[in-house]
């Protein structure tokens, strides 16, 4: 059953299946066909997101367990609705002692039946970086002890970490000196600071609480997916969203296998017909195509979020806003230098151990062929390191993607040339050849070396760009989000049309989203900030006024941090007057932003004095009497640009509901979404309020979404045909038709027209601009008299 429209729900202990069941009538009225659930399997106790799975074979009792899930599904099925679930094949949560599989590995080492489940280098003991100091210091402070639990001796660190002791040491556990007992275990306790350099098992990005799974092993695949297959066979779910697919050894092979297994299952007699719905969480680079031969319906929508956001930004704002950022921050106008520096930092600081493993695998391969055996490990390291500095995408896919990979390797070759030491180009070329699946050497070692590189390039891209450079570069923060190309301010309408026609042809069922549990700014924060791109000179004047107003309060805060704060305050300025709560939310964002940037503070070594100055600035501006003039000025400017910001938000919502794909609504974002980065974007949603708004059509955005989704109840949109726009403002209208049953749906949406809306509006702004429909010129002035979205259905 292909979804018509999905609604993302974040399940956790405070919001379970019973809570979701109460919302089913509301979601049905909104036009939703499927609940799109965050991971429902057993996660670490108290998890607020579910991605730290500790048991993939059971439904999480904290959410209500299988009985409550069945009740939710029954309520949905009664209304012709269904469920899509988020699955996590790449990793499991291993912190806190709750993962029985991981505990078995710790207790039995390579003798555990689960040892093959995790991506561990068993050439030496498994490193557990859970200590707050070197082991000797922790032992001297008596922070490790032996205790009994369920009749077995175990180690307790800091009174909270319970670690198994191997069977051979059970009887002597209390009599052996602790150093000797620890030395006999299959694991080695170490300081958390050693993880980046010494970890000998693959983790998720830089999170040592999440251990990588070897899902490419058939036994691991079957055991970790048995629950999903059963739920699908019983008609309990209609499909899945695959988390972080690029973390897997073979994403394409995994997706094809999953498709084959799901579609071959005999479904329950009362289950909806049709193939399983499968989408992948994948970050696509600016010009990177989504592979068409994986057997999936497309991505979970980050690429669309980038496309629609870029469409709504004005390209004319790029240069003046870049200049303003450089003047204030002292940094580059362009994103590229920040990305390069961040990649170099992350590779050196947080992935050196994984880089060592990649280099070792390449060296091991190289010595198996005469033509590569003479090169030194340092030479191979330089080639790999420099490729990772500039790699244009998350990863390559080897022989399974010859066309796309060839273009990626060519672009990597072009970018890396200036960094290659004289005389070492041939070494670089050899690495690129191996990435293609070709080249000399032992085939098994080649596959392992390529895997190591691919599973390093993906986290380097994610941590360097999204989790570092995006917090260092602030030309316009609405262009810094998951999957976005911060180097590009805008996307022209012709290119957007091309992308949508491509979607209609290749991925008509891909998910379309503009807000997620991972976004850095809510969709309406981005919409409001995007208006700045159309009014850069007005923005410059206003920023200077705020600079003058806050100069004294901002003393001791870096100007770049000040400017990012100002953008955040403007973008997320609340509709209500509860600035005390807003200040707390902003301070939460600010702490994360400063630590992720790793320039003036960090998670590893927080600069508490600097963070205190930055947080004091927030308090001064938002809650203290001295900030009253700033608050009046900010509120007035937000109000001044509100018509343009609201129009942009409506345009964004309309495009999500009308272009090719399956529209997804992130919980609560059907009304104004002024959230910030997690955990702010996962705050409880006031559904009672949203239901009242739907009853009264009190939210223009929610009403528009409901109206557009209602059109899709009986007939699906198909195809995509751009309409011609003429006149002086033709680059400010996107117009198209779609087939709707036996008729047509015609849509025209105004974009980047802030000048026409602010300061009382300018009705004559459109001039002679018109949309051409069946040879008739429809005046833009008339079309958009009542709002930025015009549509009609022709029978």
């Amino acid at each position: 059953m292909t979804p018509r429209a999905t609604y993302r729900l974040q399940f956790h202990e405070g919001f379970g299946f019973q809570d979701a069941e109460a919302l089913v009538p509301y979601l049905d009225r909104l036009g939703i066909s499927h609940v799109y659930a965050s991971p429902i399997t057993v996660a670490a106790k108290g998890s607020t997101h579910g991605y730290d799975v500790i048991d993939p074979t059971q439904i999480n009792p904290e959410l209500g367990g299988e009985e409550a899930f069945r009740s939710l599904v029954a309520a949905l099925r009664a209304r012709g609705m269904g469920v899509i679930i988020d699955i996590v094949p790449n990793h499991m949560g291993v912190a806190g002692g709750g993962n029985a599989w991981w505990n078995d590995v710790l207790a039995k080492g390579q003798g555990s039946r689960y040892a093959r489940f995790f991506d561990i280098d068993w050439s030496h003991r498994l490193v557990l970086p859970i200590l707050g100091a070197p082991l000797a210091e922790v032992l001297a402070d008596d922070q490790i002890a032996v205790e009994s639990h369920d009749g077995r001796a175990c180690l307790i660190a800091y009174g909270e970490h319970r670690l198994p002791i191997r069977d051979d040491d059970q009887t002597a556990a209390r009599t052996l000196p602790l150093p000797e007992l620890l030395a006999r275990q299959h694991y080695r306790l170490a300081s958390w600071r050693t993880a980046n350099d010494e970890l000998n098992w693959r983790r998720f990005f830089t999170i040592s609480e999440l251990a990588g799974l070897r899902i490419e092993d058939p036994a691991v695949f079957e055991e970790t997916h048995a629950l999903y297959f059963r739920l699908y066979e019983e008609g309990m779910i209609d499909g899945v969203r695959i988390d972080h697919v690029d973390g897997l050894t073979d994403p394409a092979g995994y997706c094809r296998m999953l498709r084959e297994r799901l579609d071959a299952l005999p479904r329950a007699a009362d289950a909806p017909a049709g193939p399983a719905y499968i989408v992948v969480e994948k970050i696509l680079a600016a010009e990177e195509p989504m592979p068409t031969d994986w057997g999936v319906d497309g991505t979970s929508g980050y690429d669309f979020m980038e496309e629609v956001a870029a469409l709504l930004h004005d390209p004319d704002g790029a240069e003046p806003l870049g200049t303003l950022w450089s003047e204030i921050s002292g940094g580059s106008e362009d994103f590229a230098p920040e990305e390069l520096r961040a990649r170099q930092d992350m590779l050196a600081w947080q992935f050196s151990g994984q880089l060592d493993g990649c280099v070792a695998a390449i060296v091991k391969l190289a010595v198996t062929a005469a033509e590569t055996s003479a090169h030194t490990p340092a030479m191979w390291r330089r080639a790999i390191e420099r490729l990772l500095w500039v790699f244009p995408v998350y990863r390559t896919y080897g022989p399974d993607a010859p066309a796309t990979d060839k273009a990626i390797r060519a672009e990597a070759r072009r970018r890396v040339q200036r960094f290659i030491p004289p005389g070492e180009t041939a070494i670089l070329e050899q690495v690129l050849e191996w990435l293609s699946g070709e080249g000399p050497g032992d085939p098994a070692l080649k596959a392992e070396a390529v895997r190591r590189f691919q599973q390093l390039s993906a986290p380097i891209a994610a941590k360097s760009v999204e989790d570092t450079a995006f917090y260092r570069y602030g030309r316009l923060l609405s262009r810094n989000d998951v999957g976005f190309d911060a180097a590009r301010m805008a996307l022209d309408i012709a290119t957007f049309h091309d992308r949508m026609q491509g979607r209609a042809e290749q991925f008509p069922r891909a998910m379309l989203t503009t807000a997620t549990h991972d976004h850095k700014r809510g969709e309406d924060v981005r919409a409001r900030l995007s208006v700045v791109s159309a009014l850069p000179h007005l923005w410059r004047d206003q920023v200077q006024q705020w600079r003058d107003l806050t100069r004294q309060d901002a003393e001791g805060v870096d100007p770049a941090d000040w400017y990012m704060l100002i953008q955040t305050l403007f973008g997320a300025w609340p509709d209500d007057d509860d600035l005390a709560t807003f200040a707390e939310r902003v301070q939460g964002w600010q702490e994360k932003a400063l630590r992720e940037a790793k320039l003036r503070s960090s998670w590893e070594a927080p600069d508490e004095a600097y963070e205190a100055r930055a947080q004091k600035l927030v308090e001064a501006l938002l809650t203290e009497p001295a900030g009253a003039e700033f608050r009046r000025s900010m509120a007035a400017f937000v109000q001044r640009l509100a018509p343009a910001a609201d129009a942009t938000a409506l345009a964004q919502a309309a495009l999500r509901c009308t272009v090719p794909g399956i529209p997804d609504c992130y919980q609560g974002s059907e009304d104004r979404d002024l959230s910030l980065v997690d955990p702010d974007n996962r705050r409880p949603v006031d559904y009672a309020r949203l239901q009242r708004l739907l009853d009264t059509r009190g939210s223009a955005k929610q009403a528009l979404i409901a109206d557009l989704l209602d059109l899709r109840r009986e007939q699906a949109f198909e195809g995509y045909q751009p309409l011609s726009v003429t006149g002086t403002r033709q680059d400010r209208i996107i117009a198209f038709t779609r087939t709707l049953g036996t008729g047509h749906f015609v849509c025209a949406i105004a974009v980047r027209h802030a000048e026409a809306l602010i300061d009382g509006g300018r009705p004559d702004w459109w001039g002679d601009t018109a949309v051409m429909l069946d040879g008739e010129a429809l005046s833009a002035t008339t079309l958009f008299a009542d709002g930025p979205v015009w549509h009609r259905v022709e029978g």
Side-chain angles (χ1 to χ4, degrees):
M1 176 182 178
T2 299
R4 184 178 68 248
T6 59
Y7 192 94
R8 170 72 177 202
L9 288 174
Q10 290 294 119
F11 287 103
H12 50 80
E13 190 173 19
F15 183 89
F17 301 135
Q18 187 174 7
D19 301 294
E21 185 174 340
L23 298 177
V24 170
Y26 165 71
L27 297 179
D28 187 19
R29 289 172 55 214
L30 188 62
I32 301 300
S33 71
H34 282 70
V35 164
Y36 161 32
S38 62
I40 64 171
T41 46
V42 182
K45 186 172 178 57
S47 174
T48 60
H49 50 76
Y51 290 98
D52 44 358
V53 176
I54 61 171
D55 183 357
T57 69
Q58 298 185 62
I59 295 178
N60 196 341
E62 288 189 355
L63 310 182
E66 185 160 329
E67 182 178 352
F69 183 68
R70 288 183 176 275
S71 181
L72 167 61
V73 173
L76 290 164
R77 292 296 188 216
R79 291 174 175 265
M81 301 166 71
V83 179
I84 305 297
I85 62 169
D86 203 339
I87 65 173
V88 191
N90 179 66
H91 54 266
M92 291 184 72
V94 295
N99 188 324
W101 294 1
W102 185 252
N103 287 341
D104 197 67
V105 173
L106 297 183
K108 301 174 182 176
Q110 295 183 71
S112 168
R113 69 176 294 260
Y114 299 108
R116 64 191 288 187
F117 280 45
F118 299 97
D119 194 355
I120 302 168
D121 174 6
W122 286 107
S123 62
H124 50 286
R125 290 191 298 157
L126 187 151
V127 177
L128 279 187
I130 63 172
L131 303 182
L135 176 60
E137 185 177 326
V138 176
L139 288 172
D141 290 342
D142 294 326
Q143 295 293 339
I144 298 177
V146 176
E147 295 184 3
S148 294
H149 181 73
D150 292 338
R152 287 182 61 86
C154 62
L155 288 162
I156 302 294
Y158 300 108
E160 56 178 286
H161 296 285
R162 182 182 294 116
L163 303 168
I165 293 174
R166 56 186 203 131
D167 291 347
D168 290 349
D169 296 327
Q170 284 294 312
T171 56
R174 292 187 177 277
T175 58
L176 283 173
L178 265 179
E180 183 178 342
L181 178 64
L182 289 172
R184 295 165 63 97
Q185 304 311 307
H186 296 290
Y187 51 85
R188 174 172 68 85
L189 297 184
S191 165
W192 66 274
R193 291 186 178 275
T194 68
N196 295 338
D197 301 326
E198 297 183 358
L199 206 65
N200 61 329
W201 45 273
R202 181 170 58 85
R203 57 185 176 176
F204 174 69
F205 292 174
T206 59
I207 304 173
S208 299
E209 290 78 24
L210 300 175
L213 283 169
R214 296 182 61 253
I215 212 71
E216 66 274 15
D217 185 314
V220 181
F221 178 88
E222 292 298 331
E223 191 152 352
T224 56
H225 287 65
L227 173 66
Y228 311 140
F229 294 150
R230 177 170 66 82
L231 293 178
Y232 184 73
E233 190 172 9
E234 294 177 6
M236 301 285 285
I237 62 173
D238 294 318
V240 298
R241 177 261 199 190
I242 303 167
D243 180 64
H244 189 47
V245 72
D246 275 343
L248 309 181
T249 293
D250 179 12
Y254 168 83
C255 289
R256 291 174 190 138
M257 175 62 76
L258 186 64
R259 166 64 70 191
E260 179 182 328
R261 289 298 310 279
L262 286 173
D263 286 353
L265 289 172
R267 295 267 272 165
D270 58 348
Y277 182 69
I278 304 175
V279 290
V280 296
E281 182 200 31
K282 175 162 175 56
I283 304 300
L284 294 168
E287 306 302 327
E288 181 187 7
M290 176 65 200
T292 58
D293 59 351
W294 286 14
V296 301
D297 291 289
T299 73
S300 58
Y302 293 125
D303 46 339
F304 173 74
M305 190 164 87
E306 151 66 353
E307 289 164 345
V308 73
L311 176 72
L312 298 173
H313 282 72
D314 195 318
D316 292 341
E319 184 176 347
L321 290 175
T323 299
L324 179 60
W325 163 252
S326 182
E327 290 173 359
I328 292 175
S329 69
S332 171
E333 297 181 18
D334 301 320
F335 180 65
E338 288 294 357
E339 179 180 353
L340 174 62
R341 180 184 173 192
R343 283 175 172 270
Q344 292 169 331
D345 287 348
M346 291 304 96
L347 192 57
W349 297 352
Q350 296 190 330
F351 291 92
S352 61
Q354 204 167 334
L355 175 61
D356 289 343
C358 181
V359 172
I362 291 282
V363 171
K364 192 173 182 180
L365 166 63
V367 298
T368 65
E371 56 264 57
T372 56
S373 61
H375 301 314
T376 69
M379 292 175 182
W380 294 116
R381 185 183 189 90
R382 284 192 289 272
I384 295 166
E385 182 181 62
R386 282 151 177 76
L387 269 178
L388 291 169
W389 287 354
V390 299
F391 213 64
V393 296
Y394 262 45
R395 60 170 289 168
T396 56
Y397 300 97
D400 278 339
T404 54
D405 272 14
K406 184 177 180 180
I408 290 166
R409 292 194 303 274
E411 176 61 16
R413 181 182 292 110
R414 184 191 68 79
R415 293 186 182 191
V416 79
Q417 285 302 320
R418 64 190 176 112
F419 299 112
I420 295 298
E424 296 189 8
T425 300
I427 300 172
L428 168 75
E429 292 293 343
Q430 186 57 71
V431 173
L432 291 173
E433 185 183 20
W434 280 330
L435 288 178
S436 75
E438 301 297 326
D442 179 271
L445 295 179
K446 188 189 309 176
E448 173 65 8
V450 170
R451 177 187 77 88
R452 292 271 190 169
F453 185 93
Q454 290 170 334
Q455 290 185 317
L456 177 56
S457 65
I460 283 293
K463 291 302 295 182
S464 302
V465 177
E466 294 162 17
D467 290 345
T468 304
F470 277 2
Y471 290 101
R472 295 178 176 184
Y473 179 74
R475 178 173 64 176
L476 189 59
L477 293 185
S478 48
R479 295 298 300 134
N480 296 12
D481 220 304
V482 180
F484 283 25
D485 179 9
R488 176 177 61 190
M489 179 62 73
L491 190 70
D492 63 80
I493 289 174
T495 302
F496 187 83
H497 277 316
D498 288 343
R499 299 280 181 89
M500 296 307 106
Q501 288 180 299
R503 282 180 177 276
E505 294 167 2
Q506 297 180 331
F507 294 107
R509 293 176 295 278
M511 193 173 280
L512 307 172
T513 191
T514 48
T516 77
H517 60 286
D518 278 334
H519 68 232
K520 299 188 183 303
R521 288 157 201 89
E523 62 183 47
D524 294 302
V525 176
R526 296 195 308 271
R528 187 184 286 170
L529 279 165
S530 73
V531 174
V532 169
S533 68
L535 304 166
H537 303 296
L538 178 64
W539 173 255
R540 170 184 277 275
D541 292 343
Q542 186 62 63
V543 166
Q544 186 55 57
Q545 291 180 33
W546 290 331
R547 189 66 171 151
D548 293 340
L549 281 173
T550 64
R551 195 173 303 278
Q552 184 173 347
D553 293 319
E555 187 174 345
V557 175
D558 190 273
D561 296 332
W562 172 87
Y563 187 43
M564 287 192 181
L565 171 63
I566 289 297
Q567 291 187 54
T568 299
L569 295 179
F570 168 73
W573 196 260
D575 294 327
D576 57 38
D577 295 325
D578 186 3
L579 292 184
T581 298
F582 183 48
E584 292 177 4
R585 293 175 50 218
V586 171
Q587 287 175 327
W589 160 82
Q590 185 184 58
E591 178 184 84
K592 185 165 188 172
L594 292 174
R595 294 183 180 184
E596 294 285 14
K598 309 167 192 70
L599 294 176
R600 288 166 284 278
S601 192
S602 65
W603 295 108
E604 292 80 3
D607 186 332
E608 295 179 359
Y610 183 79
E611 289 184 2
R613 293 196 297 274
Q615 300 227 333
K616 179 64 177 174
L617 172 61
V618 174
E619 294 170 2
L621 299 185
L622 295 184
T623 63
E624 295 179 0
E629 187 176 353
F630 169 80
R631 293 192 289 274
R632 284 193 294 272
S633 175
M634 176 62 77
F637 193 68
V638 169
Q639 187 62 34
R640 183 181 179 187
L641 270 56
D646 292 344
T648 302
L650 291 177
Q652 181 173 240
L655 286 163
R656 187 178 80 233
C657 292
T658 57
V659 302
I662 308 302
D664 172 58
C665 183
Y666 180 69
Q667 58 178 34
S669 66
E670 60 267 41
D671 189 32
R672 199 191 307 275
D673 173 17
L674 298 177
S675 61
L676 298 171
V677 72
D678 65 279
D680 191 68
N681 58 15
R682 302 173 188 177
R683 286 175 296 142
V685 177
D686 187 348
Y687 283 109
R689 173 180 169 276
L690 289 175
Q691 292 180 73
R692 291 194 300 270
L693 285 175
L694 189 59
D695 291 337
T696 61
R697 293 181 68 86
S699 164
K701 180 182 172 186
Q702 182 193 50
L704 175 64
I705 291 170
D707 288 347
L708 292 173
L709 294 185
D710 194 51
L711 289 174
R712 306 170 68 128
R713 285 184 185 272
E714 301 301 325
Q715 300 285 347
F717 285 150
E718 294 181 343
Y720 182 91
Q721 183 60 46
L723 290 177
S724 176
V725 181
T726 63
T728 55
R729 308 287 189 186
Q730 60 180 283
D731 62 338
R732 306 303 171 103
I733 297 175
I734 180 165
F736 53 90
T737 64
R738 303 204 65 200
T739 301
L740 185 63
T742 58
H744 288 85
F745 172 83
V746 184
C747 185
I749 300 175
V751 296
R752 306 194 298 253
H753 61 307
E755 296 171 84
L757 299 173
I758 67 170
D759 299 335
R762 290 174 51 191
D764 61 340
W765 186 83
W766 288 106
D768 62 347
T769 309
V771 175
M772 302 303 296
L773 182 63
D774 296 330
E776 179 185 0
L778 306 179
S779 166
T781 302
T782 303
L783 290 179
F784 304 126
D786 298 321
V789 181
W790 175 87
H791 67 270
R792 79 182 189 202
V793 178
E794 299 178 329

